[in-house]
Amino acid sequence: YPWEILKKLDEFVAKIQDHRAGKIHPTAVIEGNVYMHESASIGPHAYIEGPLWMGVDAVIGHAAYVRGCVVLAPNAKVGHSTEVKRSLFLEDAKAPHLNYVGDSVLGCKVNIGAGVNLANFNNMGTSIKIDGQATGLRKLGAMLGDEVTLGCNVATAPGTIVGARTMVYQGSMLRGVVPADSIVKMRPSLEIIRKT
């Protein structure tokens, strides 16, 4: 199951040794073990709580908050004011600005627009289910296949799976499983009532 990747992620980052070879802005705050390739960078006022692994040309931008078990593959980007918790960004995956990414996996070349939230906590306090399948997890964000594009202000419910090459229009709300090669458009859910 795709959510089993998170357990492997935990095992991988537990072995990280501190190696900060990349460029770190002097105002960034870093706690815990961080592995950085020499071409990776951490921007001004970023706050990092390791363990964190950053590959070739991976970037963490201004005022980003990265915490607990994060892996950024080559060319992955966590941008301005984005929060990332226990997540895997594969090659060229980007959360460029004002995003929340929790307990999630972003496939290769994923791009999420400004204000996208990949929610990870079930408000009911029970294990998250996906299409009736129990995951055994109370926290599980989104699993986004390769080349998925989410428009600005998209929100995903905990345990959402989006198939590869899917494009989601801005302002949409996703839950469950979205098949690969789909186009998802927001549908109006509020009826407008005019008073005379």
Side-chain angles (χ1 to χ4, degrees):
Y1 297 107
W3 53 87
E4 292 172 343
I5 293 170
L6 294 176
K7 182 178 179 184
K8 297 291 185 186
L9 179 68
D10 294 339
E11 294 168 3
F12 175 78
V13 297
K15 299 173 186 173
I16 290 176
Q17 299 293 315
D18 211 43
H19 176 77
R20 302 177 190 185
K23 181 180 177 185
I24 302 171
H25 193 276
T27 61
V29 175
I30 301 176
E31 300 173 354
N33 288 339
V34 172
Y35 171 86
M36 291 179 71
H37 185 271
E38 62 188 23
S39 62
S41 64
I42 297 175
H45 305 288
Y47 182 37
I48 311 299
E49 294 177 354
L52 165 67
W53 188 94
M54 297 179 71
V56 174
D57 294 324
V59 174
I60 295 176
H62 170 261
Y65 179 29
V66 177
R67 59 189 173 102
C69 300
V70 173
V71 170
L72 302 176
N75 297 306
K77 181 176 183 180
V78 174
H80 169 72
S81 293
T82 292
E83 180 179 353
V84 178
K85 175 204 167 271
R86 190 181 179 229
S87 294
L88 169 63
F89 284 51
L90 294 176
E91 190 168 359
D92 291 315
K94 293 175 177 52
H97 32 242
L98 307 169
N99 307 117
Y100 175 73
V101 178
D103 300 274
S104 297
V105 176
L106 279 62
C108 295
K109 298 182 181 178
V110 163
N111 187 67
I112 62 178
V116 169
N117 288 293
L118 307 181
N120 64 335
F121 182 68
N122 183 348
N123 287 337
M124 304 302 288
T126 58
S127 172
I128 294 168
K129 292 183 179 179
I130 300 173
D131 275 357
Q133 174 68 43
T135 65
L137 301 171
R138 287 191 64 216
K139 289 189 176 183
L140 175 62
M143 311 281 120
L144 306 178
D146 293 347
E147 299 180 35
V148 165
T149 302
L150 303 182
C152 294
N153 298 314
V154 168
T156 63
T160 298
I161 298 176
V162 181
R165 299 168 305 280
T166 290
M167 181 175 66
V168 180
Y169 277 52
Q170 66 276 4
S172 298
M173 170 62 192
L174 301 178
R175 65 181 307 132
V177 178
V178 179
D181 301 303
S182 297
I183 296 175
V184 179
K185 296 183 180 181
M186 181 179 75
R187 294 183 181 160
S189 60
L190 299 176
E191 182 180 346
I192 298 173
I193 299 171
R194 291 186 183 176
K195 293 184 178 182
T196 56

